[in-house]
Amino acid sequence: MKFDLLKNHSALTSQEGMKNLIVVYMVILGISQFFYGSISVRYGRRPAIVTGFFISIIGLLLSGCSENNIFMIFTILLFTIYLSLVFVLQRE
């Protein structure tokens, strides 16, 4: 992922900042699987995949425009929500 590129951002130069980002990344990855699981069970795989791809597109487009640390972290969290879709669909 972009963790090596994030070292260039001023708020994430410390090891503690990077560790906190990884913890938040893993928490969001775990929590968002419940939403994708519910969507895929109730409506099928297709709506879950389409929803995930739209979230991914928004996150990637916004990450290209990020100029400050908070916005970069927000876009990484959006992309993390998309990545949890992969884990949900593997189990079905």
Side-chain angles (χ1 to χ4, degrees):
M1 184 143 178
K2 292 184 171 182
F3 291 127
D4 291 333
L5 297 175
L6 290 174
K7 289 182 181 178
N8 297 333
H9 289 276
S10 61
L12 300 173
T13 53
S14 68
Q15 273 191 329
E16 186 173 330
M18 291 297 291
K19 287 178 186 177
N20 290 337
L21 179 64
I22 292 172
V23 167
V24 170
Y25 172 82
M26 296 305 274
V27 167
I28 296 294
L29 189 66
I31 291 173
S32 59
Q33 289 181 25
F34 290 111
F35 297 110
Y36 281 125
S38 301
I39 291 171
S40 66
V41 167
R42 185 167 188 174
Y43 300 109
R45 285 183 168 190
R46 186 169 300 197
I49 292 171
V50 170
T51 303
F53 283 144
F54 278 123
I55 291 172
S56 169
I57 290 168
I58 291 169
L60 290 174
L61 288 175
L62 290 176
S63 71
C65 302
S66 65
E67 295 182 6
N68 61 16
N69 297 329
I70 295 172
F71 195 67
M72 174 66 104
I73 291 170
F74 173 72
T75 58
I76 288 173
L77 294 180
L78 272 179
F79 193 70
T80 304
I81 292 171
Y82 161 72
L83 288 177
S84 67
L85 172 70
V86 175
F87 296 112
V88 169
L89 294 180
Q90 281 181 347
R91 290 189 212 142
E92 292 187 13

Coordinates of all heavy atoms in Angstrom, one line a residue:
M1 N 0.8 -1.2 0.0 CA 0.0 0.0 0.0 C 0.9 1.2 0.0 O 2.0 1.2 -0.4 CB -0.9 -0.1 1.2 CG -1.9 1.0 1.2 SD -3.5 0.5 1.9 CE -4.3 2.0 1.8
K2 N 0.3 2.4 0.4 CA 1.0 3.6 0.4 C 1.8 4.0 1.7 O 2.2 5.1 1.9 CB 0.0 4.8 0.2 CG -0.6 4.8 -1.1 CD -1.5 6.0 -1.2 CE -2.1 6.3 -2.5 NZ -2.9 7.5 -2.5
F3 N 2.1 3.0 2.5 CA 2.7 3.3 3.8 C 4.1 3.9 3.7 O 4.4 4.8 4.4 CB 2.7 2.1 4.7 CG 1.4 1.6 5.1 CD1 1.0 0.3 5.0 CD2 0.5 2.5 5.7 CE1 -0.3 -0.1 5.3 CE2 -0.8 2.1 6.1 CZ -1.1 0.8 5.9
D4 N 4.8 3.5 2.7 CA 6.1 4.1 2.5 C 6.0 5.6 2.0 O 6.8 6.4 2.4 CB 7.0 3.3 1.4 CG 7.4 2.0 2.0 OD1 7.5 1.8 3.2 OD2 7.6 1.1 1.2
L5 N 5.0 5.8 1.2 CA 4.8 7.2 0.7 C 4.3 8.1 1.8 O 4.5 9.3 1.8 CB 3.8 7.2 -0.4 CG 4.2 6.5 -1.7 CD1 3.1 6.5 -2.7 CD2 5.4 7.1 -2.3
L6 N 3.6 7.5 2.8 CA 3.1 8.3 3.9 C 4.1 8.9 4.8 O 3.9 9.8 5.5 CB 2.1 7.5 4.7 CG 0.8 7.2 4.0 CD1 0.0 6.3 4.9 CD2 0.0 8.5 3.8
K7 N 5.3 8.3 4.8 CA 6.4 8.8 5.6 C 6.8 10.2 5.3 O 7.4 10.9 6.1 CB 7.6 7.9 5.5 CG 7.4 6.5 6.2 CD 8.6 5.7 6.1 CE 8.4 4.3 6.8 NZ 9.5 3.5 6.7
N8 N 6.5 10.6 4.0 CA 6.8 12.0 3.6 C 5.9 13.0 4.2 O 6.2 14.2 4.3 CB 6.8 12.1 2.1 CG 7.8 11.2 1.4 OD1 8.8 10.9 2.0 ND2 7.5 10.8 0.2
H9 N 4.7 12.6 4.7 CA 3.8 13.6 5.3 C 4.3 13.9 6.7 O 4.7 13.0 7.5 CB 2.4 13.0 5.3 CG 1.8 13.0 4.0 ND1 1.2 14.1 3.4 CD2 1.7 12.0 3.0 CE1 0.8 13.8 2.2 NE2 1.1 12.5 1.9
S10 N 4.2 15.1 7.1 CA 4.8 15.6 8.4 C 4.2 14.9 9.6 O 4.9 14.6 10.6 CB 4.7 17.1 8.5 OG 3.3 17.5 8.5
A11 N 2.9 14.7 9.7 CA 2.3 14.1 10.9 C 2.6 12.6 11.0 O 2.4 12.0 12.1 CB 0.8 14.3 10.9
L12 N 3.1 12.0 10.0 CA 3.3 10.5 10.0 C 4.7 10.1 9.9 O 5.0 9.0 9.6 CB 2.5 9.9 8.8 CG 1.0 10.1 8.8 CD1 0.4 9.6 7.6 CD2 0.4 9.5 10.1
T13 N 5.6 11.0 10.3 CA 7.0 10.7 10.2 C 7.5 9.9 11.4 O 8.4 9.2 11.3 CB 7.9 12.0 10.1 OG1 7.5 12.8 11.2 CG2 7.6 12.7 8.8
S14 N 6.8 9.9 12.5 CA 7.1 9.2 13.7 C 6.6 7.7 13.5 O 5.7 7.5 12.8 CB 6.6 9.8 14.9 OG 5.2 9.7 15.0
Q15 N 7.3 6.9 14.2 CA 6.8 5.5 14.3 C 5.5 5.4 14.9 O 4.6 4.5 14.5 CB 7.8 4.6 15.0 CG 8.9 4.1 14.2 CD 9.7 3.0 14.9 OE1 9.8 3.1 16.1 NE2 10.3 2.1 14.2
E16 N 5.2 6.2 15.9 CA 3.9 6.1 16.6 C 2.8 6.5 15.7 O 1.7 5.9 15.7 CB 3.9 7.0 17.8 CG 2.7 6.9 18.7 CD 2.8 7.7 20.0 OE1 3.9 7.8 20.5 OE2 1.8 8.1 20.4
G17 N 3.0 7.5 14.9 CA 2.0 7.9 13.9 C 1.7 6.9 12.9 O 0.5 6.6 12.5
M18 N 2.7 6.2 12.4 CA 2.5 5.1 11.5 C 1.8 3.9 12.1 O 0.9 3.3 11.5 CB 3.9 4.6 10.9 CG 4.5 5.6 10.0 SD 3.6 5.9 8.5 CE 3.7 4.4 7.7
K19 N 2.2 3.6 13.4 CA 1.5 2.5 14.1 C 0.0 2.8 14.3 O -0.8 1.9 14.1 CB 2.2 2.3 15.4 CG 3.5 1.6 15.3 CD 4.1 1.5 16.7 CE 5.6 0.9 16.6 NZ 6.2 0.8 17.9
N20 N -0.3 4.1 14.6 CA -1.7 4.4 14.8 C -2.5 4.3 13.5 O -3.6 3.9 13.5 CB -1.8 5.9 15.4 CG -1.3 6.0 16.8 OD1 -1.3 5.0 17.5 ND2 -0.9 7.1 17.2
L21 N -1.9 4.7 12.4 CA -2.5 4.6 11.1 C -2.8 3.1 10.8 O -3.9 2.8 10.3 CB -1.7 5.2 10.0 CG -2.3 5.2 8.6 CD1 -3.6 5.9 8.6 CD2 -1.3 5.7 7.6
I22 N -1.9 2.2 11.1 CA -2.1 0.8 10.8 C -3.1 0.2 11.7 O -4.0 -0.6 11.2 CB -0.7 0.1 10.9 CG1 0.2 0.5 9.8 CG2 -0.9 -1.4 10.8 CD1 1.6 0.0 9.9
V23 N -3.2 0.7 12.9 CA -4.2 0.2 13.8 C -5.6 0.6 13.3 O -6.6 -0.2 13.3 CB -4.0 0.6 15.3 CG1 -5.2 0.4 16.1 CG2 -2.8 -0.1 15.8
V24 N -5.7 1.9 12.9 CA -7.0 2.4 12.4 C -7.4 1.6 11.1 O -8.5 1.3 10.9 CB -7.0 3.9 12.2 CG1 -8.2 4.4 11.5 CG2 -6.8 4.6 13.6
Y25 N -6.4 1.4 10.3 CA -6.6 0.7 9.0 C -7.2 -0.7 9.3 O -8.2 -1.1 8.7 CB -5.2 0.6 8.3 CG -5.2 -0.3 7.1 CD1 -5.6 0.2 5.9 CD2 -4.7 -1.6 7.2 CE1 -5.6 -0.6 4.8 CE2 -4.6 -2.4 6.1 CZ -5.1 -1.9 4.9 OH -5.0 -2.7 3.8
M26 N -6.6 -1.4 10.3 CA -7.1 -2.8 10.6 C -8.5 -2.8 11.3 O -9.3 -3.7 11.0 CB -6.1 -3.5 11.5 CG -4.7 -3.7 10.8 SD -4.9 -4.6 9.3 CE -4.8 -6.3 9.8
V27 N -8.7 -1.8 12.1 CA -10.0 -1.7 12.7 C -11.1 -1.4 11.7 O -12.2 -2.1 11.7 CB -10.0 -0.6 13.8 CG1 -11.4 -0.3 14.3 CG2 -9.2 -1.0 15.0
I28 N -10.9 -0.5 10.8 CA -11.8 -0.2 9.7 C -12.0 -1.4 8.8 O -13.1 -1.8 8.4 CB -11.4 1.0 8.9 CG1 -11.4 2.3 9.7 CG2 -12.3 1.2 7.7 CD1 -12.7 2.7 10.2
L29 N -10.9 -2.1 8.6 CA -11.0 -3.4 7.7 C -11.9 -4.4 8.4 O -12.7 -5.1 7.7 CB -9.6 -3.9 7.5 CG -9.4 -5.0 6.5 CD1 -9.7 -4.6 5.1 CD2 -8.0 -5.5 6.6
G30 N -11.8 -4.5 9.7 CA -12.6 -5.5 10.4 C -14.1 -5.1 10.5 O -15.0 -5.9 10.3
I31 N -14.3 -3.8 10.8 CA -15.7 -3.4 11.0 C -16.5 -3.4 9.7 O -17.7 -3.8 9.7 CB -15.7 -2.0 11.7 CG1 -15.2 -2.1 13.2 CG2 -17.1 -1.4 11.7 CD1 -15.0 -0.8 13.8
S32 N -15.9 -2.9 8.7 CA -16.6 -2.8 7.4 C -17.0 -4.1 6.8 O -17.9 -4.2 6.0 CB -15.8 -1.9 6.4 OG -14.6 -2.5 6.2
Q33 N -16.4 -5.2 7.2 CA -16.7 -6.5 6.7 C -18.2 -6.9 7.1 O -18.9 -7.6 6.4 CB -15.8 -7.6 7.2 CG -14.4 -7.5 6.6 CD -13.5 -8.6 7.0 OE1 -13.9 -9.6 7.5 NE2 -12.2 -8.3 6.9
F34 N -18.6 -6.4 8.3 CA -20.0 -6.7 8.7 C -21.0 -6.1 7.7 O -22.0 -6.7 7.4 CB -20.2 -6.2 10.1 CG -19.5 -6.9 11.2 CD1 -18.4 -6.4 11.9 CD2 -19.8 -8.2 11.5 CE1 -17.8 -7.1 12.8 CE2 -19.2 -8.9 12.4 CZ -18.1 -8.4 13.1
F35 N -20.7 -4.9 7.3 CA -21.6 -4.2 6.3 C -21.7 -4.9 5.0 O -22.8 -5.1 4.4 CB -21.2 -2.7 6.2 CG -21.3 -1.9 7.4 CD1 -20.2 -1.5 8.1 CD2 -22.6 -1.7 8.0 CE1 -20.3 -0.8 9.3 CE2 -22.7 -1.0 9.2 CZ -21.5 -0.5 9.8
Y36 N -20.5 -5.3 4.5 CA -20.5 -6.0 3.2 C -21.1 -7.4 3.3 O -21.8 -7.8 2.4 CB -19.1 -6.1 2.6 CG -18.6 -4.8 2.0 CD1 -17.4 -4.2 2.4 CD2 -19.3 -4.2 1.0 CE1 -17.0 -3.1 1.8 CE2 -18.9 -3.1 0.4 CZ -17.7 -2.5 0.8 OH -17.2 -1.4 0.2
G37 N -20.9 -8.0 4.4 CA -21.5 -9.3 4.7 C -23.0 -9.2 4.7 O -23.7 -10.0 4.0
S38 N -23.5 -8.2 5.3 CA -25.0 -8.0 5.4 C -25.6 -7.7 4.0 O -26.6 -8.2 3.6 CB -25.3 -6.9 6.4 OG -24.9 -7.2 7.6
I39 N -24.9 -6.8 3.3 CA -25.3 -6.5 1.9 C -25.3 -7.7 1.0 O -26.3 -7.9 0.3 CB -24.5 -5.3 1.4 CG1 -24.7 -4.0 2.1 CG2 -24.8 -5.1 -0.1 CD1 -23.8 -2.9 1.7
S40 N -24.3 -8.5 1.1 CA -24.2 -9.6 0.1 C -25.1 -10.7 0.5 O -25.6 -11.4 -0.4 CB -22.7 -10.1 0.1 OG -22.3 -10.7 1.3
V41 N -25.4 -10.9 1.8 CA -26.4 -11.9 2.2 C -27.8 -11.5 1.8 O -28.6 -12.3 1.3 CB -26.3 -12.2 3.7 CG1 -27.5 -13.0 4.2 CG2 -25.0 -12.9 4.0
R42 N -28.1 -10.2 2.0 CA -29.5 -9.8 1.8 C -29.8 -9.5 0.3 O -30.9 -9.8 -0.2 CB -29.8 -8.5 2.6 CG -31.2 -8.0 2.5 CD -31.5 -7.0 3.5 NE -32.9 -6.8 3.5 CZ -33.5 -6.0 4.3 NH1 -32.8 -5.4 5.3 NH2 -34.8 -5.8 4.3
Y43 N -28.9 -8.8 -0.4 CA -29.1 -8.4 -1.8 C -28.3 -9.2 -2.8 O -28.6 -9.0 -4.0 CB -28.8 -6.9 -1.9 CG -29.7 -6.1 -1.0 CD1 -29.1 -5.4 0.1 CD2 -31.0 -5.9 -1.2 CE1 -29.8 -4.6 0.9 CE2 -31.8 -5.1 -0.4 CZ -31.2 -4.5 0.7 OH -31.9 -3.7 1.5
G44 N -27.4 -10.0 -2.4 CA -26.5 -10.7 -3.4 C -25.2 -10.1 -3.5 O -24.9 -9.0 -3.0
R45 N -24.3 -10.7 -4.3 CA -23.0 -10.2 -4.4 C -22.9 -9.0 -5.3 O -22.0 -8.1 -5.1 CB -22.1 -11.3 -5.1 CG -21.7 -12.4 -4.1 CD -20.8 -13.4 -4.8 NE -20.3 -14.3 -3.9 CZ -19.3 -15.1 -4.1 NH1 -18.8 -15.2 -5.3 NH2 -18.8 -15.9 -3.2
R46 N -23.7 -8.9 -6.3 CA -23.5 -7.8 -7.3 C -23.7 -6.4 -6.6 O -22.8 -5.6 -6.9 CB -24.5 -8.0 -8.4 CG -24.3 -6.9 -9.5 CD -25.1 -7.2 -10.7 NE -24.6 -8.5 -11.2 CZ -24.9 -9.0 -12.4 NH1 -25.6 -8.2 -13.2 NH2 -24.4 -10.1 -12.8
P47 N -24.7 -6.2 -5.8 CA -24.8 -4.8 -5.2 C -23.6 -4.6 -4.2 O -23.1 -3.4 -4.1 CB -26.1 -4.9 -4.4 CG -26.9 -5.9 -5.0 CD -25.9 -6.9 -5.6
A48 N -23.1 -5.6 -3.6 CA -21.9 -5.4 -2.7 C -20.7 -5.1 -3.5 O -19.9 -4.2 -3.1 CB -21.6 -6.7 -1.9
I49 N -20.5 -5.7 -4.7 CA -19.3 -5.4 -5.5 C -19.4 -4.0 -6.1 O -18.4 -3.3 -6.1 CB -19.2 -6.5 -6.6 CG1 -18.8 -7.8 -6.0 CG2 -18.2 -6.1 -7.7 CD1 -18.9 -9.0 -7.0
V50 N -20.6 -3.7 -6.6 CA -20.8 -2.3 -7.2 C -20.6 -1.2 -6.1 O -19.9 -0.2 -6.4 CB -22.2 -2.2 -7.8 CG1 -22.5 -0.8 -8.2 CG2 -22.3 -3.1 -9.0
T51 N -21.1 -1.4 -4.9 CA -20.9 -0.5 -3.9 C -19.4 -0.3 -3.5 O -18.9 0.8 -3.4 CB -21.7 -0.9 -2.6 OG1 -23.1 -1.0 -2.9 CG2 -21.5 0.1 -1.5
G52 N -18.7 -1.4 -3.4 CA -17.3 -1.4 -3.1 C -16.5 -0.7 -4.1 O -15.6 0.0 -3.8
F53 N -16.8 -1.0 -5.4 CA -16.0 -0.4 -6.5 C -16.3 1.2 -6.5 O -15.3 1.9 -6.8 CB -16.4 -1.0 -7.8 CG -15.7 -2.3 -8.0 CD1 -16.3 -3.3 -8.7 CD2 -14.4 -2.6 -7.5 CE1 -15.7 -4.5 -8.9 CE2 -13.8 -3.8 -7.7 CZ -14.5 -4.8 -8.4
F54 N -17.5 1.6 -6.3 CA -17.7 3.0 -6.3 C -17.0 3.7 -5.1 O -16.4 4.8 -5.2 CB -19.2 3.4 -6.2 CG -19.9 3.3 -7.5 CD1 -21.0 2.5 -7.7 CD2 -19.4 4.1 -8.6 CE1 -21.6 2.4 -9.0 CE2 -20.1 4.0 -9.8 CZ -21.1 3.2 -10.0
I55 N -17.0 3.1 -3.9 CA -16.2 3.6 -2.8 C -14.7 3.6 -3.1 O -14.0 4.6 -2.8 CB -16.5 2.8 -1.5 CG1 -17.9 3.0 -1.1 CG2 -15.5 3.2 -0.4 CD1 -18.4 2.2 0.1
S56 N -14.2 2.6 -3.8 CA -12.8 2.6 -4.2 C -12.5 3.7 -5.2 O -11.5 4.4 -5.0 CB -12.5 1.2 -4.9 OG -11.3 1.2 -5.5
I57 N -13.3 3.9 -6.2 CA -13.1 4.9 -7.1 C -13.0 6.3 -6.5 O -12.1 7.1 -6.7 CB -14.1 4.9 -8.3 CG1 -13.9 3.7 -9.1 CG2 -14.1 6.2 -9.1 CD1 -15.1 3.4 -10.1
I58 N -14.0 6.6 -5.6 CA -14.0 7.9 -4.9 C -12.7 8.0 -4.0 O -12.1 9.1 -4.0 CB -15.3 8.0 -4.0 CG1 -16.5 8.1 -4.9 CG2 -15.2 9.1 -3.0 CD1 -17.8 7.9 -4.1
G59 N -12.4 7.0 -3.3 CA -11.2 7.0 -2.5 C -9.9 7.3 -3.3 O -9.0 8.1 -2.9
L60 N -9.8 6.6 -4.4 CA -8.6 6.7 -5.2 C -8.5 8.1 -5.9 O -7.4 8.7 -6.0 CB -8.5 5.6 -6.2 CG -8.2 4.2 -5.7 CD1 -8.3 3.2 -6.8 CD2 -6.8 4.2 -5.0
L61 N -9.6 8.6 -6.4 CA -9.6 9.9 -7.0 C -9.3 11.0 -5.9 O -8.5 11.9 -6.2 CB -11.0 10.2 -7.6 CG -11.3 9.4 -8.9 CD1 -12.7 9.7 -9.4 CD2 -10.3 9.8 -10.0
L62 N -9.9 10.9 -4.8 CA -9.6 11.9 -3.7 C -8.1 11.8 -3.2 O -7.6 12.8 -2.8 CB -10.6 11.7 -2.6 CG -12.0 12.1 -2.9 CD1 -12.9 11.8 -1.7 CD2 -12.1 13.6 -3.2
S63 N -7.6 10.6 -3.2 CA -6.2 10.5 -2.7 C -5.2 11.1 -3.6 O -4.2 11.6 -3.2 CB -5.8 9.0 -2.5 OG -5.7 8.3 -3.7
G64 N -5.5 11.2 -4.9 CA -4.7 11.9 -5.8 C -4.7 13.4 -5.6 O -3.8 14.1 -6.0
C65 N -5.8 13.9 -5.0 CA -5.9 15.3 -4.7 C -5.5 15.7 -3.3 O -5.6 16.9 -3.0 CB -7.4 15.8 -4.9 SG -8.0 15.4 -6.6
S66 N -5.1 14.8 -2.5 CA -4.8 15.1 -1.1 C -3.5 15.9 -1.0 O -2.5 15.6 -1.5 CB -4.7 13.8 -0.3 OG -3.6 13.1 -0.7
E67 N -3.6 17.0 -0.2 CA -2.5 17.8 0.1 C -2.1 18.0 1.5 O -1.1 18.5 1.9 CB -2.7 19.2 -0.5 CG -2.9 19.2 -2.0 CD -3.1 20.6 -2.6 OE1 -3.0 21.6 -1.8 OE2 -3.3 20.7 -3.8
N68 N -3.0 17.5 2.4 CA -2.6 17.5 3.8 C -2.8 16.1 4.4 O -3.4 15.2 3.8 CB -3.5 18.6 4.6 CG -5.0 18.3 4.5 OD1 -5.4 17.2 4.2 ND2 -5.7 19.3 4.8
N69 N -2.4 16.0 5.6 CA -2.3 14.7 6.3 C -3.7 14.1 6.6 O -3.9 12.9 6.4 CB -1.5 14.7 7.5 CG -0.1 15.1 7.3 OD1 0.5 14.8 6.2 ND2 0.6 15.8 8.2
I70 N -4.6 14.9 7.1 CA -5.9 14.4 7.5 C -6.7 13.9 6.3 O -7.3 12.9 6.3 CB -6.6 15.5 8.3 CG1 -5.9 15.8 9.6 CG2 -8.1 15.1 8.5 CD1 -6.4 17.0 10.3
F71 N -6.6 14.7 5.2 CA -7.3 14.3 4.0 C -6.7 13.0 3.4 O -7.4 12.1 2.9 CB -7.2 15.4 2.9 CG -8.2 15.2 1.8 CD1 -9.6 15.3 2.1 CD2 -7.8 15.0 0.5 CE1 -10.5 15.1 1.0 CE2 -8.7 14.8 -0.5 CZ -10.0 14.9 -0.2
M72 N -5.4 12.8 3.5 CA -4.7 11.6 3.0 C -5.2 10.4 3.9 O -5.5 9.3 3.3 CB -3.2 11.7 3.1 CG -2.5 10.5 2.7 SD -2.7 10.0 1.1 CE -1.1 10.5 0.4
I73 N -5.2 10.5 5.2 CA -5.7 9.5 6.0 C -7.2 9.1 5.7 O -7.5 7.9 5.7 CB -5.5 9.8 7.5 CG1 -4.0 9.9 7.8 CG2 -6.2 8.9 8.4 CD1 -3.7 10.5 9.2
F74 N -8.0 10.1 5.5 CA -9.4 9.9 5.2 C -9.5 9.1 3.9 O -10.3 8.1 3.8 CB -10.1 11.2 5.0 CG -11.5 11.1 4.5 CD1 -12.5 10.5 5.3 CD2 -11.8 11.5 3.2 CE1 -13.8 10.4 4.9 CE2 -13.1 11.3 2.8 CZ -14.1 10.8 3.6
T75 N -8.7 9.4 2.9 CA -8.8 8.7 1.6 C -8.3 7.2 1.7 O -8.8 6.3 1.1 CB -8.1 9.4 0.5 OG1 -6.7 9.5 0.8 CG2 -8.7 10.7 0.2
I76 N -7.3 7.0 2.6 CA -6.8 5.7 2.8 C -7.9 4.9 3.5 O -8.1 3.7 3.2 CB -5.5 5.7 3.6 CG1 -4.4 6.2 2.7 CG2 -5.2 4.3 4.2 CD1 -3.1 6.4 3.4
L77 N -8.6 5.5 4.4 CA -9.7 4.8 5.1 C -10.8 4.4 4.2 O -11.4 3.4 4.3 CB -10.2 5.6 6.3 CG -9.2 5.8 7.4 CD1 -9.8 6.6 8.5 CD2 -8.7 4.5 8.0
L78 N -11.1 5.3 3.2 CA -12.1 5.0 2.2 C -11.7 3.8 1.4 O -12.5 2.9 1.1 CB -12.3 6.2 1.3 CG -13.4 7.2 1.6 CD1 -13.4 8.3 0.6 CD2 -14.7 6.6 1.8
F79 N -10.4 3.7 1.0 CA -9.9 2.6 0.2 C -9.9 1.3 1.1 O -10.1 0.2 0.6 CB -8.5 2.9 -0.3 CG -8.1 1.9 -1.4 CD1 -8.7 1.9 -2.6 CD2 -7.1 1.0 -1.1 CE1 -8.4 1.0 -3.6 CE2 -6.8 0.0 -2.1 CZ -7.4 0.1 -3.3
T80 N -9.7 1.5 2.4 CA -9.7 0.3 3.3 C -11.1 -0.3 3.3 O -11.3 -1.5 3.4 CB -9.3 0.7 4.7 OG1 -8.0 1.3 4.6 CG2 -9.2 -0.4 5.6
I81 N -12.1 0.6 3.3 CA -13.5 0.1 3.3 C -13.7 -0.8 2.0 O -14.4 -1.8 2.1 CB -14.5 1.2 3.4 CG1 -14.4 1.9 4.7 CG2 -15.9 0.8 3.1 CD1 -15.2 3.2 4.8
Y82 N -13.2 -0.4 0.9 CA -13.2 -1.2 -0.3 C -12.5 -2.5 -0.1 O -13.0 -3.6 -0.5 CB -12.7 -0.4 -1.5 CG -12.3 -1.3 -2.6 CD1 -13.3 -2.0 -3.4 CD2 -11.0 -1.6 -3.0 CE1 -13.0 -2.8 -4.4 CE2 -10.7 -2.5 -4.0 CZ -11.7 -3.1 -4.7 OH -11.4 -3.9 -5.7
L83 N -11.3 -2.5 0.5 CA -10.5 -3.7 0.6 C -11.2 -4.8 1.4 O -11.0 -6.0 1.2 CB -9.2 -3.4 1.2 CG -8.2 -2.7 0.3 CD1 -6.9 -2.4 1.1 CD2 -7.9 -3.5 -0.9
S84 N -12.1 -4.4 2.4 CA -12.8 -5.4 3.2 C -13.8 -6.2 2.3 O -14.1 -7.3 2.7 CB -13.5 -4.7 4.3 OG -14.5 -3.9 3.9
L85 N -14.2 -5.6 1.2 CA -15.1 -6.3 0.3 C -14.4 -7.6 -0.2 O -15.0 -8.7 -0.3 CB -15.4 -5.4 -0.9 CG -16.2 -6.1 -2.0 CD1 -17.6 -6.4 -1.6 CD2 -16.2 -5.2 -3.2
V86 N -13.1 -7.6 -0.4 CA -12.4 -8.7 -0.9 C -12.4 -9.9 0.1 O -12.7 -11.0 -0.3 CB -10.9 -8.3 -1.2 CG1 -10.1 -9.6 -1.6 CG2 -10.9 -7.3 -2.3
F87 N -12.3 -9.6 1.3 CA -12.3 -10.6 2.4 C -13.7 -11.2 2.5 O -13.9 -12.4 2.8 CB -11.8 -10.1 3.7 CG -10.4 -9.7 3.7 CD1 -10.1 -8.3 3.8 CD2 -9.4 -10.6 3.5 CE1 -8.7 -7.9 3.8 CE2 -8.1 -10.2 3.5 CZ -7.7 -8.9 3.6
V88 N -14.8 -10.4 2.4 CA -16.1 -10.9 2.5 C -16.5 -11.8 1.3 O -17.0 -12.9 1.5 CB -17.1 -9.7 2.6 CG1 -18.6 -10.2 2.4 CG2 -17.0 -9.0 3.9
L89 N -16.1 -11.4 0.1 CA -16.4 -12.2 -1.0 C -15.6 -13.5 -1.2 O -16.0 -14.5 -1.8 CB -16.3 -11.4 -2.3 CG -17.3 -10.2 -2.4 CD1 -17.0 -9.5 -3.7 CD2 -18.7 -10.7 -2.4
Q90 N -14.5 -13.6 -0.5 CA -13.7 -14.8 -0.5 C -14.4 -15.9 0.3 O -14.2 -17.1 0.0 CB -12.3 -14.5 0.0 CG -11.3 -13.9 -0.9 CD -10.0 -13.7 -0.2 OE1 -9.8 -13.8 1.0 NE2 -9.0 -13.4 -1.0
R91 N -15.1 -15.5 1.3 CA -15.7 -16.5 2.2 C -16.9 -17.1 1.7 O -17.4 -18.1 2.1 CB -16.0 -15.8 3.6 CG -14.7 -15.5 4.3 CD -15.1 -15.1 5.7 NE -14.1 -14.1 6.1 CZ -14.3 -13.1 6.8 NH1 -15.6 -12.8 7.2 NH2 -13.4 -12.3 7.2
E92 N -17.6 -16.4 0.7 CA -18.9 -16.9 0.2 C -18.7 -18.0 -0.8 O -17.7 -18.1 -1.5 CB -19.7 -15.8 -0.3 CG -20.1 -14.9 0.9 CD -21.1 -13.9 0.4 OE1 -21.6 -14.0 -0.7 OE2 -21.3 -12.9 1.1

